[in-house]
Amino acid sequence: MSDLELPYAYGNPPLTAVLRSTPEDFQVEEILGYDADGEGEHALLWVEKRGANTDWVARELAKFAGIPPLNVGYAGLKDRHAVTRQTFSVQLAGKPDPDWSTFAAEGVKVLAATRHSRKLKRGALRGNRFVLVLRQVDGDRAVADQILKQIAQRGVPNYFGEQRFGREGGNVAQARAMFAGRRVDRDKRHFLLSAARSHIFNAVLAARVERDAWDSPMEGEIWSLAGSRSWFGPEPFDATLSQRLATGDIHPSGPLWGRGETPAQGEVASLENAVAADNADLADGLVAAKMDQERRALRMIPLNLSWRWLEDGALELSFELAAGAYATTVVRELAVTG
């Protein structure tokens, strides 16, 4: 199911627009959620990159520091066609800090460097801050403003974005081929397993959006704790859960498929098992790959969402998302972009 086929929470988007006409129109800033120790064998670098791949930047930093690439860490991959600011750790055991101001990779600047005691691990991230500009905007601004107000209060379906599925969604087809016996290298295998899980999750979420139950409970619900990978349930939906749902402390959740039964019960379990059966090759492949059942929130609420119409008719959006959420998933409810 492609991004354009996924159902919308607020009806068809009222706008058409161009996103990423320049890298500066898609700005991302990591929110680590903690500060550097100030001492240790790792240099924690605050890096700005423009039009550069995160893994390539990591290799260039390793080359500059004279260390193996495995000794460079980062919390998450960031869009190439963007201006991003993110943290890298560079292990300098027994070595002095190089002069980071002379680091000269194209499109990359080291903005700050501090010592730290630990390597930065993938996923060690609280969230990301975005400033996006939509250009060549056409459509109903008044409706767009109303949808943005609803998004600020209610959130959006927490679909995995197109980036997870590769060019023209090809990662899912490749995952099917891998599960059917095609050999792939270890790094590619990781991406294909993620794409398979994401496809099943998006299909479950799409079915719940069609029922208008992506941000409200169904029978047998499993609840995801906001800002956490923890979940609980099922349990009777009472006033306390209703209040926590209304304030964004908890969200309904969907499956990241793997071994074992879904922990959901009732209507939710029936829906999730039906979607898994419709994608039996992916579900069975994930089980054979020894992936475990996990959960992901069905809803995401952008924090500090604000917007303004620029003099040239462009629309600027600013918001924060928890780690693992996609800015393009927010934008898709507002505009069909090219």
Side-chain angles (χ1 to χ4, degrees), residues 239-302:
T240 299
L241 289 180
S242 179
Q243 175 66 18
R244 294 180 70 184
L245 177 64
T247 59
D249 180 49
I250 59 174
H251 309 289
S253 73
L256 298 175
W257 206 261
R259 295 182 292 183
E261 299 293 326
T262 171
Q265 296 178 5
E267 290 180 316
V268 176
S270 295
L271 172 60
E272 293 178 2
N273 286 325
V275 170
D278 287 342
N279 296 274
D281 55 345
L282 298 179
D284 292 345
L286 289 165
V287 170
K290 299 183 179 180
M291 304 293 286
D292 291 324
Q293 286 273 352
E294 297 180 85
R295 306 295 292 184
R296 172 181 167 91
L298 295 178
R299 173 180 70 165
M300 68 166 167
I301 302 176

Side-chain angles (χ1 to χ4, degrees), residues 2-338:
S2 74
D3 187 64
L4 290 175
E5 295 170 327
L6 295 170
Y8 298 99
Y10 302 104
N12 290 329
L15 305 176
T16 60
V18 174
L19 181 60
R20 304 179 197 262
S21 58
T22 69
E24 283 74 17
D25 284 348
F26 199 104
Q27 298 192 37
V28 190
E29 184 174 296
E30 268 186 356
I31 306 169
L32 273 187
Y34 61 88
D35 296 323
D37 298 339
E39 58 184 13
E41 64 179 27
H42 299 267
L44 209 60
L45 307 181
W46 185 233
V47 174
E48 180 178 279
K49 63 182 185 68
R50 181 187 189 277
N53 175 281
T54 298
D55 189 56
W56 175 80
V57 173
R59 292 195 302 271
E60 291 297 305
L61 289 169
K63 189 187 306 180
F64 181 77
I67 61 172
L70 285 175
N71 289 6
V72 176
Y74 51 83
L77 297 170
K78 292 291 178 290
D79 297 80
R80 178 177 180 179
H81 302 292
V83 174
T84 70
R85 286 169 289 280
Q86 70 179 115
T87 305
F88 292 81
S89 67
V90 179
Q91 189 171 14
L92 298 169
K95 301 178 70 170
D97 281 87
D99 183 356
W100 296 110
S101 67
T102 64
F103 179 72
E106 183 178 357
V108 184
K109 292 187 292 187
V110 176
L111 303 178
T114 313
R115 282 286 180 150
H116 192 57
S117 60
R118 299 183 306 278
K119 181 179 180 179
L120 193 58
K121 298 291 183 66
R122 293 288 291 272
L125 183 65
R126 195 180 79 197
N128 294 287
R129 186 177 295 111
F130 297 88
V131 179
L132 313 180
V133 179
L134 303 180
R135 301 198 184 274
Q136 300 178 36
V137 179
D138 188 28
D140 193 324
R141 290 191 181 189
V143 174
D145 285 335
Q146 288 302 312
I147 288 177
L148 282 163
K149 290 175 184 177
Q150 291 183 75
I151 290 173
Q153 293 296 318
R154 188 180 176 189
V156 298
N158 192 23
Y159 291 122
F160 283 100
E162 287 185 298
Q163 303 96 307
R164 179 59 65 98
F165 302 105
R167 187 183 297 273
E168 298 180 353
N171 285 355
V172 175
Q174 291 184 57
R176 289 193 156 104
M178 177 180 71
F179 293 147
R182 179 185 296 173
R183 295 177 64 85
V184 299
D185 63 43
R186 184 175 179 179
D187 289 342
K188 187 66 175 289
R189 175 181 169 82
H190 168 78
F191 284 108
L192 299 185
L193 290 172
S194 294
R197 285 181 122 188
S198 302
H199 180 81
I200 293 174
F201 176 89
N202 275 7
V204 169
L205 178 50
R208 293 193 56 160
V209 172
E210 289 175 340
R211 300 185 187 195
D212 197 26
W214 57 276
D215 65 341
S216 59
M218 290 174 55
E219 180 197 359
E221 193 69 69
I222 298 295
W223 298 100
S224 175
L225 289 168
S228 164
R229 295 183 180 180
S230 299
W231 51 268
F232 66 94
E235 58 186 68
F237 189 66
D238 58 15
T240 299
L241 289 180
S242 179
Q243 175 66 18
R244 294 180 70 184
L245 177 64
T247 59
D249 180 49
I250 59 174
H251 309 289
S253 73
L256 298 175
W257 206 261
R259 295 182 292 183
E261 299 293 326
T262 171
Q265 296 178 5
E267 290 180 316
V268 176
S270 295
L271 172 60
E272 293 178 2
N273 286 325
V275 170
D278 287 342
N279 296 274
D281 55 345
L282 298 179
D284 292 345
L286 289 165
V287 170
K290 299 183 179 180
M291 304 293 286
D292 291 324
Q293 286 273 352
E294 297 180 85
R295 306 295 292 184
R296 172 181 167 91
L298 295 178
R299 173 180 70 165
M300 68 166 167
I301 302 176
L303 299 178
N304 302 316
L305 173 62
S306 64
W307 63 94
R308 62 183 180 126
W309 294 94
L310 306 180
E311 290 183 2
D312 61 358
L315 175 60
E316 181 185 89
L317 305 172
S318 176
F319 52 87
E320 298 172 15
L321 296 178
Y326 290 79
T328 51
T329 299
V330 177
V331 174
R332 75 179 296 274
E333 292 289 339
L334 190 69
V336 176
T337 59

